[in-house]
Amino acid sequence: MRDVAIVAFAQSNCQRDAGAQNEVELIMPVLSEVFKQAGISSAQDVDFTCSGSCDYQQGAAFAFVAGVDALGAVPPIKESHVEMDAAWALYEAWLKIQMGQAESALLYGFGKSSPGELPIVLSQQLDPYYLAPLWVDSIAFAAMQARTMLDSGEITETDMAEVVARSRNNALANNPYAQLKGDQTAADLLKEATYVSPLRRHDCCPISDGACAMIICTIEKAKEWGKPYAVIKGIDHRIETHHIGSRDLSRSVSTEIAAKAAGVANGPVDVAELYAPFSHQEIILKKALGLDDNTVINPSGGVLAGNVMMASGLSRIGEVAMRIIRGEAKRGVAHATSGPCLQQNLITVLEAK
């Protein structure tokens, strides 16, 4: 397989409510920033463009088409879209490069969840015959998963609170784009009331509006552009059944399989950015990936500090890539997810050039 370079990444602030900003206004600033980083002027300077979004979030049909306006109407470009997090747009573009159909690609993801009720909207990801008609929301399923782990003795509420405290503190120290940050301890957080038992509000990722963008290319193109880069050494994604009752919710089997296929264990992991929308899920993912305490997990604060649906998965990859480009790490792992209780998982292994 061809090594693929990440040469540019930008993200917006995670906002609880972007107000009157439309898709184009969310996307254009991050596009301008990645064009500047890569030393190009527009989407016409890359071979392929792919975006990730979901119209259900803002309840507007073909919102992803409106987002394309940020690229400019002419001249025409080769463009695609995934109704998923933009991490899966990266996967599509990576495949294009592997097949020799492109040497460079622009990726972007955006989401505006504030106009609707996101936990209810996400119920439409469920099995359409048995579960979706019940409108079981994402928080209820996550609470069931957390209760399973607590009752089995695998975790404690203190373990969950420690994940959140580390997220808030890391975001305060390292992430100017974060929505939630602060100097808090697990003891402080445990004083909060239960929200959906056994979850407290801080155990759940916030609802955020925003966007991110990335440019990838072949190693040869990166050298031609003269830009520093991080290398995608492995990438894989897997999915588990949408029948919740048929899964062991205390494990993420699809993450384990994807991690093996992507080569996570082929070397030390300096940093990992894990898409864990709920505190206990970070513990599941750390175990599934085989990470130990030598790996710095979610130095950005992760999605517990800010969760732009359809963009935060790509942001996990971008966060790791930029740390490698800045020389803060030599090898890292990024994780993206979709669906209830970590149903679908994508793993990317990144290394220094």
Side-chain angles (χ1 to χ4, degrees):
M1 292 191 298
R2 306 172 74 184
D3 285 344
V4 175
I6 296 176
V7 296
F9 171 71
Q11 60 185 312
S12 67
N13 290 331
C14 294
Q15 309 173 62
R16 175 59 185 89
D17 188 344
Q21 283 184 289
N22 60 29
E23 294 82 2
V24 174
E25 291 168 320
L26 288 172
I27 297 166
M28 287 195 71
V30 294
L31 292 185
S32 297
E33 176 60 26
V34 291
F35 293 154
K36 180 180 177 182
Q37 289 179 26
I40 61 178
S41 59
S42 70
Q44 282 74 31
D45 294 326
V46 297
D47 300 324
F48 179 63
T49 298
C50 193
S51 61
S53 67
C54 177
D55 293 351
Y56 278 84
Q57 286 179 266
Q58 55 265 63
F62 294 100
F64 78 93
V65 177
V68 176
D69 286 343
L71 303 173
V74 291
I77 60 173
K78 293 181 179 179
E79 187 270 339
S80 184
H81 172 262
V82 295
E83 193 79 3
M84 288 284 284
D85 188 288
W88 275 265
L90 166 69
Y91 187 80
E92 180 175 336
W94 179 84
L95 288 173
K96 285 275 189 182
I97 293 175
Q98 295 302 318
M99 294 185 293
Q101 295 183 7
E103 290 191 353
S104 59
L106 166 67
L107 319 163
Y108 65 95
F110 62 97
K112 190 173 181 181
S113 302
S114 57
E117 295 182 45
L118 183 60
I120 293 295
V121 170
L122 293 178
S123 70
Q124 295 307 291
Q125 294 179 312
L126 301 173
D127 159 60
Y129 300 104
Y130 297 102
L131 295 177
L134 300 177
W135 293 93
V136 186
D137 67 48
S138 55
I139 297 175
F141 273 124
M144 183 172 66
Q145 184 180 43
R147 175 56 65 195
T148 298
M149 298 180 71
L150 287 166
D151 288 352
S152 68
E154 292 186 56
I155 62 171
T156 66
E157 292 188 20
T158 299
D159 294 333
M160 295 163 62
E162 286 175 347
V163 169
V164 179
R166 177 165 41 80
S167 167
R168 300 283 176 88
N169 281 275
N170 284 351
L172 180 64
N174 306 314
N175 190 354
Y177 308 102
Q179 181 178 335
L180 299 178
K181 60 182 77 175
D183 185 7
Q184 293 175 296
T185 66
D188 294 332
L189 294 168
L190 287 171
K191 295 176 184 177
E192 295 182 12
T194 300
Y195 174 45
V196 178
S197 181
L199 301 177
R200 295 171 171 83
R201 282 191 180 272
H202 62 247
D203 290 308
C204 312
C205 64
I207 292 173
S208 312
D209 296 343
C212 73
M214 179 182 289
I215 292 178
I216 66 173
C217 61
T218 61
I219 301 299
E220 294 75 18
K221 177 64 72 171
K223 291 178 178 178
E224 177 187 323
W225 285 346
K227 300 300 177 181
Y229 57 87
V231 181
I232 298 175
K233 298 298 290 188
I235 187 169
D236 194 80
H237 71 101
R238 304 289 166 141
I239 183 172
E240 297 176 47
T241 176
H242 57 192
H243 293 291
I244 298 293
S246 299
R247 293 165 54 191
D248 178 359
L249 297 183
S250 66
R251 292 177 60 194
S252 181
V253 177
S254 55
T255 298
E256 295 170 10
I257 297 171
K260 183 177 181 179
V264 172
N266 293 347
V269 179
D270 301 322
V271 61
E273 283 281 343
L274 310 181
Y275 196 147
F278 301 92
S279 59
H280 63 278
Q281 292 179 349
E282 182 180 303
I283 300 170
I284 295 173
L285 292 169
K286 180 180 177 181
K287 183 178 179 181
L289 291 165
L291 304 178
D292 57 28
D293 292 337
N294 293 320
T295 300
V296 178
I297 296 178
N298 286 344
S300 70
V303 295
L304 290 174
N307 180 36
V308 178
M309 289 297 299
M310 305 300 149
S312 282
L314 186 63
S315 289
R316 307 279 64 74
I317 300 169
E319 288 278 359
V320 174
M322 297 308 289
R323 280 175 170 75
I324 290 174
I325 288 171
R326 293 194 297 264
E328 298 171 10
K330 292 183 178 180
R331 190 170 187 268
V333 171
H335 162 265
T337 193
S338 182
C341 299
L342 302 172
Q343 183 193 12
Q344 303 178 51
N345 297 280
L346 183 148
I347 303 297
T348 308
V349 176
L350 302 168
E351 296 182 5
K353 61 181 179 179

